[in-house]
Amino acid sequence: MIIRKPTLEKISPGFGSSIKVIKHEAYMGEKKPFWHFHPELELVYVNKGKGKRHIGNHLSYFNNSQLLLIGANLPHNGFTDRLTINGSETVVQFRPEFLGTHFFDVPEMEGISNLFERAKSGILFGVKTKKKMGQKIEKLSEKEGFKKILILLEILHGLAKSKDYTILNADGFAFETEPQDSAKIDIIFKHVNENFTQHITLDEIADKVSMTVPAFCRYFKKVTGKTFTKLVNEYRVVHATKLLSESQLSITDVSFECGFNNFSHFNKLFKEFTGKSASKYRSELKLMVQ
């Protein structure tokens, strides 16, 4: 599958540093999510936060916390409703060659080199790894110079050894550089994100990017590898997982709240997307401790 170009985001570390570390203690709502990529790897640790993951072709909702490693040039969308008021987020961005072109080619660095390769598809780490690495990642924002590099290497070494992870785009994900596609994709995702609970017609979305319906359908399938209807339904199911975990709404009400007008259709799509029924998903959530 070929994905064409999102927006290139230019990342500039502070003076005298080869890595950029940003820590937010609360959600800074003014920055709007947009579809983008950058040559830097991005390590994201959210502590007591929640939001939507849209990384490559993967779409899901997280609640409470997450630890991600996003590979160089892997397109992703910024998170929405990213943090709770008491939450924090630490983002670490660095180029694969930040310690030199061949530093990670030596035998002792093979594990980290393999980690970077896996990260090209996006890696979501599990609870065990989050607990082990979370505090170290948060402390990076307090360190400078040589100490910061050493701690980052320790973190990368720990992540490389972890067996507690999921590859988010296991079927592979790549894109070609065509700048004119960037604005279109961002407009489409933004409109879906803001209106998926309503009926979005193909005429409506095609008009947003100044295309005919047949041209839009061909374009969207070529760019994303899926139909527009499937993308909208994925957004709805992801929102349903949010409501099932955070509200007391009945499952029937959840389905209608997410934009489905047919409960059996909702059940079918929910099971296809999550691998389990909505009722089973909710019951298992009660047993989970994140």
Side-chain angles (χ1 to χ4, degrees):
M1 175 173 50
I2 294 176
I3 302 298
R4 289 180 161 75
K5 189 181 180 183
T7 300
L8 170 65
E9 182 181 23
K10 184 169 176 55
I11 293 169
S12 302
F15 179 75
S17 179
S18 57
I19 62 177
K20 183 173 184 177
V21 182
I22 311 162
K23 186 174 181 182
H24 299 302
E25 295 295 344
Y27 176 47
M28 312 300 288
E30 74 280 359
K31 186 172 183 181
K32 300 296 183 183
F34 66 103
W35 187 241
H36 67 285
F37 75 102
H38 38 74
E40 292 80 6
L41 287 99
E42 182 167 301
L43 180 63
V44 183
Y45 175 61
V46 177
N47 184 8
K48 296 181 181 177
K50 57 187 177 180
K52 192 179 295 171
R53 304 183 191 99
H54 193 169
I55 300 165
N57 245 9
H58 174 88
L59 185 62
S60 62
Y61 177 77
F62 69 92
N63 188 20
N64 189 30
S65 65
Q66 69 167 351
L67 175 55
L68 290 167
L69 183 60
I70 302 170
N73 296 322
L74 176 61
H76 53 285
N77 217 33
F79 300 127
T80 59
D81 68 322
R82 191 180 300 172
L83 300 175
T84 59
I85 193 167
N86 297 316
S88 68
E89 176 201 46
T90 304
V91 178
V92 186
Q93 296 166 323
F94 56 93
R95 287 181 177 260
E97 69 282 359
F98 78 105
L99 289 175
T101 307
H102 301 295
F103 183 85
F104 291 106
D105 291 340
V106 300
E108 292 83 355
M109 294 293 138
E110 184 181 4
I112 295 178
S113 180
N114 291 338
L115 175 73
F116 289 175
E117 190 63 29
R118 291 197 300 275
K120 289 178 180 178
S121 297
I123 306 173
L124 173 65
F125 293 94
V127 175
K128 185 178 177 181
T129 304
K130 279 190 298 187
K131 288 180 178 177
K132 187 175 180 181
M133 294 295 166
Q135 285 190 336
K136 283 188 178 182
I137 294 169
E138 288 182 323
K139 285 181 179 178
L140 269 177
S141 63
E142 305 165 9
K143 306 299 179 183
E144 296 295 338
F146 184 66
K147 188 66 174 175
K148 181 185 284 188
I149 296 293
L150 280 181
I151 293 175
L152 179 57
L153 283 174
E154 286 180 8
I155 291 167
L156 293 174
H157 178 63
L159 296 178
K161 291 197 304 179
S162 171
K163 305 296 183 186
D164 181 28
Y165 68 85
T166 301
I167 300 295
L168 297 180
N169 291 277
D171 58 346
F173 191 86
F175 65 89
E176 292 177 348
T177 300
E178 289 192 16
Q180 66 269 26
D181 284 329
S182 174
K184 286 182 184 177
I185 288 294
D186 195 38
I187 289 168
I188 294 165
F189 285 163
K190 182 179 179 182
H191 189 72
V192 173
N193 193 51
E194 293 174 352
N195 299 282
F196 65 85
T197 59
Q198 309 299 320
H199 179 57
I200 305 174
T201 66
L202 285 172
D203 286 308
E204 174 188 346
I205 194 65
D207 186 60
K208 286 282 181 184
V209 287
S210 304
M211 300 174 78
T212 65
V213 169
F216 170 80
C217 290
R218 288 193 300 271
Y219 164 79
F220 192 80
K221 184 69 183 288
K222 186 177 182 181
V223 169
T224 67
K226 63 181 76 172
T227 64
F228 178 71
T229 299
K230 184 174 182 183
L231 177 79
V232 174
N233 283 334
E234 286 178 352
Y235 264 82
R236 289 172 174 169
V237 171
V238 167
H239 190 58
T241 65
K242 171 184 169 73
L243 294 180
L244 289 169
S245 66
E246 295 180 358
S247 77
Q248 299 301 313
L249 290 172
S250 70
I251 294 175
T252 303
D253 287 342
V254 165
S255 71
F256 290 115
E257 188 74 20
C258 294
F260 291 100
N261 56 18
N262 184 303
F263 183 61
S264 62
H265 184 52
F266 162 74
N267 271 330
K268 180 184 176 184
L269 288 175
F270 192 94
K271 190 165 186 179
E272 280 181 13
F273 190 79
T274 66
K276 59 192 75 173
S277 67
S279 58
K280 186 175 182 183
Y281 183 90
R282 175 172 265 177
S283 64
E284 287 182 356
L285 273 176
K286 295 176 182 177
L287 303 175
M288 286 173 61
V289 178
Q290 292 209 358

Short mmCIF file of all heavy atoms in Angstrom, two decimals, residues 112-151:
data_model
loop_
_atom_site.label_atom_id
_atom_site.label_comp_id
_atom_site.label_asym_id
_atom_site.label_seq_id
_atom_site.Cartn_x
_atom_site.Cartn_y
_atom_site.Cartn_z
N ILE A 112 18.91 -1.83 19.52
CA ILE A 112 18.31 -0.51 19.30
C ILE A 112 18.09 -0.28 17.81
O ILE A 112 17.07 0.29 17.40
CB ILE A 112 19.18 0.60 19.92
CG1 ILE A 112 19.22 0.43 21.44
CG2 ILE A 112 18.64 1.98 19.55
CD1 ILE A 112 20.10 1.44 22.17
N SER A 113 19.04 -0.73 16.98
CA SER A 113 18.88 -0.61 15.54
C SER A 113 17.63 -1.35 15.07
O SER A 113 16.85 -0.84 14.25
CB SER A 113 20.12 -1.17 14.83
OG SER A 113 19.98 -1.06 13.43
N ASN A 114 17.40 -2.54 15.61
CA ASN A 114 16.19 -3.31 15.28
C ASN A 114 14.93 -2.61 15.79
O ASN A 114 13.87 -2.67 15.16
CB ASN A 114 16.28 -4.72 15.87
CG ASN A 114 17.33 -5.57 15.17
OD1 ASN A 114 17.70 -5.30 14.03
ND2 ASN A 114 17.82 -6.60 15.85
N LEU A 115 15.05 -1.96 16.96
CA LEU A 115 13.93 -1.20 17.52
C LEU A 115 13.53 -0.08 16.56
O LEU A 115 12.34 0.12 16.29
CB LEU A 115 14.33 -0.60 18.87
CG LEU A 115 13.31 0.33 19.54
CD1 LEU A 115 12.13 -0.47 20.09
CD2 LEU A 115 13.97 1.13 20.67
N PHE A 116 14.52 0.65 16.04
CA PHE A 116 14.24 1.72 15.09
C PHE A 116 13.55 1.18 13.84
O PHE A 116 12.67 1.83 13.27
CB PHE A 116 15.53 2.43 14.69
CG PHE A 116 16.15 3.27 15.78
CD1 PHE A 116 17.38 3.88 15.59
CD2 PHE A 116 15.51 3.45 16.99
CE1 PHE A 116 17.96 4.66 16.57
CE2 PHE A 116 16.08 4.23 18.00
CZ PHE A 116 17.31 4.83 17.79
N GLU A 117 13.95 -0.01 13.42
CA GLU A 117 13.34 -0.63 12.24
C GLU A 117 11.88 -0.97 12.51
O GLU A 117 11.00 -0.70 11.67
CB GLU A 117 14.12 -1.88 11.84
CG GLU A 117 13.76 -2.48 10.50
CD GLU A 117 14.03 -1.58 9.32
OE1 GLU A 117 14.97 -0.76 9.40
OE2 GLU A 117 13.30 -1.70 8.31
N ARG A 118 11.59 -1.56 13.68
CA ARG A 118 10.21 -1.88 14.04
C ARG A 118 9.36 -0.61 14.15
O ARG A 118 8.18 -0.60 13.82
CB ARG A 118 10.15 -2.65 15.37
CG ARG A 118 10.70 -4.05 15.31
CD ARG A 118 10.25 -4.88 16.51
NE ARG A 118 10.66 -4.32 17.80
CZ ARG A 118 11.84 -4.53 18.36
NH1 ARG A 118 12.74 -5.29 17.76
NH2 ARG A 118 12.12 -4.01 19.54
N ALA A 119 9.99 0.46 14.64
CA ALA A 119 9.26 1.71 14.86
C ALA A 119 8.75 2.33 13.57
O ALA A 119 7.85 3.17 13.60
CB ALA A 119 10.16 2.71 15.59
N LYS A 120 9.27 1.91 12.43
CA LYS A 120 8.78 2.43 11.14
C LYS A 120 7.30 2.11 10.95
O LYS A 120 6.62 2.76 10.17
CB LYS A 120 9.59 1.84 9.99
CG LYS A 120 11.02 2.38 9.92
CD LYS A 120 11.79 1.74 8.77
CE LYS A 120 13.22 2.26 8.71
NZ LYS A 120 14.01 1.62 7.62
N SER A 121 6.82 1.08 11.66
CA SER A 121 5.40 0.72 11.60
C SER A 121 4.63 1.22 12.82
O SER A 121 3.43 1.02 12.92
CB SER A 121 5.24 -0.81 11.49
OG SER A 121 5.80 -1.28 10.29
N GLY A 122 5.35 1.86 13.77
CA GLY A 122 4.72 2.35 14.99
C GLY A 122 4.66 1.25 16.04
O GLY A 122 4.21 0.14 15.75
N ILE A 123 5.14 1.54 17.26
CA ILE A 123 5.14 0.55 18.34
C ILE A 123 4.35 1.09 19.52
O ILE A 123 4.59 2.22 19.98
CB ILE A 123 6.58 0.23 18.81
CG1 ILE A 123 7.46 -0.21 17.65
CG2 ILE A 123 6.55 -0.86 19.89
CD1 ILE A 123 8.93 -0.38 18.03
N LEU A 124 3.42 0.31 20.02
CA LEU A 124 2.68 0.62 21.24
C LEU A 124 3.15 -0.35 22.32
O LEU A 124 3.04 -1.56 22.17
CB LEU A 124 1.17 0.45 21.02
CG LEU A 124 0.29 0.57 22.26
CD1 LEU A 124 0.35 1.97 22.84
CD2 LEU A 124 -1.16 0.19 21.91
N PHE A 125 3.70 0.18 23.41
CA PHE A 125 4.21 -0.66 24.49
C PHE A 125 3.13 -0.91 25.54
O PHE A 125 2.23 -0.08 25.74
CB PHE A 125 5.44 -0.01 25.13
CG PHE A 125 6.62 0.05 24.21
CD1 PHE A 125 6.88 1.19 23.45
CD2 PHE A 125 7.46 -1.05 24.06
CE1 PHE A 125 7.95 1.24 22.57
CE2 PHE A 125 8.54 -1.01 23.18
CZ PHE A 125 8.77 0.14 22.43
N GLY A 126 3.22 -2.05 26.20
CA GLY A 126 2.22 -2.47 27.16
C GLY A 126 2.43 -1.89 28.55
O GLY A 126 3.36 -1.12 28.81
N VAL A 127 1.56 -2.30 29.48
CA VAL A 127 1.54 -1.76 30.84
C VAL A 127 2.87 -1.97 31.56
O VAL A 127 3.39 -1.05 32.20
CB VAL A 127 0.39 -2.41 31.64
CG1 VAL A 127 0.43 -1.96 33.09
CG2 VAL A 127 -0.95 -2.08 31.02
N LYS A 128 3.44 -3.15 31.44
CA LYS A 128 4.68 -3.47 32.14
C LYS A 128 5.81 -2.53 31.72
O LYS A 128 6.54 -1.99 32.57
CB LYS A 128 5.07 -4.93 31.86
CG LYS A 128 6.29 -5.41 32.62
CD LYS A 128 6.56 -6.88 32.30
CE LYS A 128 7.83 -7.37 33.00
NZ LYS A 128 8.12 -8.79 32.67
N THR A 129 5.94 -2.31 30.42
CA THR A 129 7.00 -1.43 29.92
C THR A 129 6.72 0.02 30.27
O THR A 129 7.63 0.78 30.59
CB THR A 129 7.16 -1.60 28.40
OG1 THR A 129 7.40 -2.99 28.12
CG2 THR A 129 8.32 -0.79 27.87
N LYS A 130 5.45 0.42 30.22
CA LYS A 130 5.08 1.79 30.59
C LYS A 130 5.51 2.09 32.02
O LYS A 130 6.09 3.14 32.30
CB LYS A 130 3.56 2.00 30.49
CG LYS A 130 3.06 2.27 29.09
CD LYS A 130 1.61 2.71 29.09
CE LYS A 130 0.65 1.67 29.63
NZ LYS A 130 -0.76 2.04 29.47
N LYS A 131 5.23 1.17 32.93
CA LYS A 131 5.57 1.38 34.33
C LYS A 131 7.07 1.43 34.55
O LYS A 131 7.58 2.19 35.37
CB LYS A 131 4.96 0.27 35.20
CG LYS A 131 3.44 0.38 35.33
CD LYS A 131 2.88 -0.74 36.19
CE LYS A 131 1.37 -0.59 36.37
NZ LYS A 131 0.79 -1.72 37.16
N LYS A 132 7.79 0.64 33.79
CA LYS A 132 9.23 0.55 33.95
C LYS A 132 9.94 1.77 33.36
O LYS A 132 10.94 2.26 33.92
CB LYS A 132 9.75 -0.73 33.27
CG LYS A 132 11.22 -1.01 33.51
CD LYS A 132 11.60 -2.35 32.91
CE LYS A 132 13.08 -2.66 33.15
NZ LYS A 132 13.47 -3.97 32.55
N MET A 133 9.44 2.29 32.25
CA MET A 133 10.15 3.35 31.52
C MET A 133 9.56 4.74 31.70
O MET A 133 10.23 5.74 31.41
CB MET A 133 10.15 3.01 30.02
CG MET A 133 10.95 1.78 29.67
SD MET A 133 12.71 2.05 30.03
CE MET A 133 13.31 0.36 29.93
N GLY A 134 8.32 4.82 32.16
CA GLY A 134 7.63 6.11 32.23
C GLY A 134 8.38 7.19 32.98
O GLY A 134 8.58 8.30 32.48
N GLN A 135 8.83 6.89 34.20
CA GLN A 135 9.52 7.89 35.02
C GLN A 135 10.83 8.33 34.39
O GLN A 135 11.20 9.50 34.44
CB GLN A 135 9.76 7.36 36.43
CG GLN A 135 8.52 7.34 37.29
CD GLN A 135 8.84 7.03 38.75
OE1 GLN A 135 9.86 6.42 39.06
NE2 GLN A 135 7.97 7.45 39.65
N LYS A 136 11.56 7.39 33.80
CA LYS A 136 12.82 7.75 33.14
C LYS A 136 12.58 8.72 31.99
O LYS A 136 13.34 9.67 31.80
CB LYS A 136 13.50 6.48 32.59
CG LYS A 136 14.21 5.64 33.64
CD LYS A 136 15.00 4.53 32.98
CE LYS A 136 15.76 3.71 34.01
NZ LYS A 136 16.58 2.65 33.39
N ILE A 137 11.52 8.46 31.23
CA ILE A 137 11.20 9.34 30.10
C ILE A 137 10.83 10.74 30.60
O ILE A 137 11.29 11.75 30.06
CB ILE A 137 10.06 8.74 29.25
CG1 ILE A 137 10.54 7.44 28.58
CG2 ILE A 137 9.58 9.73 28.20
CD1 ILE A 137 9.44 6.63 27.94
N GLU A 138 10.05 10.80 31.66
CA GLU A 138 9.65 12.10 32.22
C GLU A 138 10.85 12.87 32.75
O GLU A 138 10.90 14.11 32.66
CB GLU A 138 8.61 11.90 33.32
CG GLU A 138 7.25 11.48 32.79
CD GLU A 138 6.20 11.33 33.86
OE1 GLU A 138 6.53 10.88 34.97
OE2 GLU A 138 5.04 11.68 33.59
N LYS A 139 11.85 12.19 33.29
CA LYS A 139 13.02 12.86 33.86
C LYS A 139 13.95 13.43 32.79
O LYS A 139 14.81 14.26 33.09
CB LYS A 139 13.80 11.89 34.75
CG LYS A 139 13.11 11.63 36.10
CD LYS A 139 13.92 10.68 36.96
CE LYS A 139 13.23 10.46 38.30
NZ LYS A 139 13.97 9.50 39.16
N LEU A 140 13.79 12.98 31.55
CA LEU A 140 14.64 13.50 30.46
C LEU A 140 14.54 15.01 30.34
O LEU A 140 15.51 15.68 29.98
CB LEU A 140 14.24 12.86 29.13
CG LEU A 140 14.97 11.58 28.72
CD1 LEU A 140 14.39 11.07 27.41
CD2 LEU A 140 16.46 11.78 28.58
N SER A 141 13.34 15.56 30.61
CA SER A 141 13.15 17.00 30.46
C SER A 141 13.97 17.80 31.47
O SER A 141 14.21 19.00 31.28
CB SER A 141 11.67 17.36 30.61
OG SER A 141 11.21 17.04 31.91
N GLU A 142 14.43 17.14 32.54
CA GLU A 142 15.22 17.82 33.58
C GLU A 142 16.71 17.73 33.34
O GLU A 142 17.50 18.38 34.02
CB GLU A 142 14.89 17.20 34.95
CG GLU A 142 13.41 17.21 35.31
CD GLU A 142 13.10 16.29 36.48
OE1 GLU A 142 14.08 15.79 37.11
OE2 GLU A 142 11.92 16.07 36.76
N LYS A 143 17.12 16.90 32.37
CA LYS A 143 18.55 16.64 32.16
C LYS A 143 19.10 17.45 31.00
O LYS A 143 18.37 17.86 30.11
CB LYS A 143 18.78 15.14 31.92
CG LYS A 143 18.22 14.23 33.00
CD LYS A 143 18.85 14.51 34.36
CE LYS A 143 18.26 13.60 35.42
NZ LYS A 143 18.80 13.89 36.77
N GLU A 144 20.40 17.61 30.98
CA GLU A 144 21.07 18.33 29.91
C GLU A 144 22.31 17.56 29.46
O GLU A 144 22.84 16.74 30.19
CB GLU A 144 21.48 19.74 30.37
CG GLU A 144 20.33 20.67 30.72
CD GLU A 144 19.44 21.02 29.54
OE1 GLU A 144 19.91 20.91 28.39
OE2 GLU A 144 18.27 21.38 29.77
N GLY A 145 22.76 17.85 28.26
CA GLY A 145 24.04 17.38 27.76
C GLY A 145 24.24 15.88 27.81
O GLY A 145 23.35 15.09 27.43
N PHE A 146 25.39 15.48 28.29
CA PHE A 146 25.82 14.08 28.30
C PHE A 146 24.85 13.20 29.09
O PHE A 146 24.53 12.08 28.67
CB PHE A 146 27.23 14.00 28.90
CG PHE A 146 27.83 12.62 28.87
CD1 PHE A 146 28.14 12.01 27.66
CD2 PHE A 146 28.10 11.94 30.05
CE1 PHE A 146 28.69 10.74 27.62
CE2 PHE A 146 28.66 10.66 30.02
CZ PHE A 146 28.95 10.07 28.80
N LYS A 147 24.34 13.71 30.22
CA LYS A 147 23.43 12.93 31.06
C LYS A 147 22.13 12.62 30.30
O LYS A 147 21.59 11.51 30.40
CB LYS A 147 23.12 13.70 32.34
CG LYS A 147 22.34 12.89 33.38
CD LYS A 147 23.15 11.74 33.92
CE LYS A 147 22.41 11.03 35.06
NZ LYS A 147 23.14 9.82 35.53
N LYS A 148 21.65 13.58 29.53
CA LYS A 148 20.42 13.37 28.76
C LYS A 148 20.63 12.26 27.72
O LYS A 148 19.76 11.39 27.55
CB LYS A 148 20.00 14.67 28.06
CG LYS A 148 18.71 14.54 27.26
CD LYS A 148 18.39 15.81 26.50
CE LYS A 148 17.84 16.87 27.41
NZ LYS A 148 17.34 18.05 26.63
N ILE A 149 21.78 12.28 27.06
CA ILE A 149 22.09 11.25 26.06
C ILE A 149 22.16 9.87 26.71
O ILE A 149 21.61 8.88 26.19
CB ILE A 149 23.42 11.55 25.35
CG1 ILE A 149 23.33 12.85 24.56
CG2 ILE A 149 23.83 10.39 24.43
CD1 ILE A 149 22.41 12.81 23.38
N LEU A 150 22.82 9.79 27.86
CA LEU A 150 22.96 8.50 28.56
C LEU A 150 21.60 7.93 28.96
O LEU A 150 21.34 6.73 28.78
CB LEU A 150 23.84 8.66 29.81
CG LEU A 150 25.35 8.68 29.61
CD1 LEU A 150 26.06 8.82 30.96
CD2 LEU A 150 25.82 7.40 28.91
N ILE A 151 20.74 8.78 29.50
CA ILE A 151 19.42 8.30 29.93
C ILE A 151 18.59 7.87 28.73
O ILE A 151 17.89 6.86 28.77
CB ILE A 151 18.68 9.39 30.74
CG1 ILE A 151 19.42 9.64 32.07
CG2 ILE A 151 17.24 8.98 31.02
CD1 ILE A 151 18.86 10.76 32.90
#
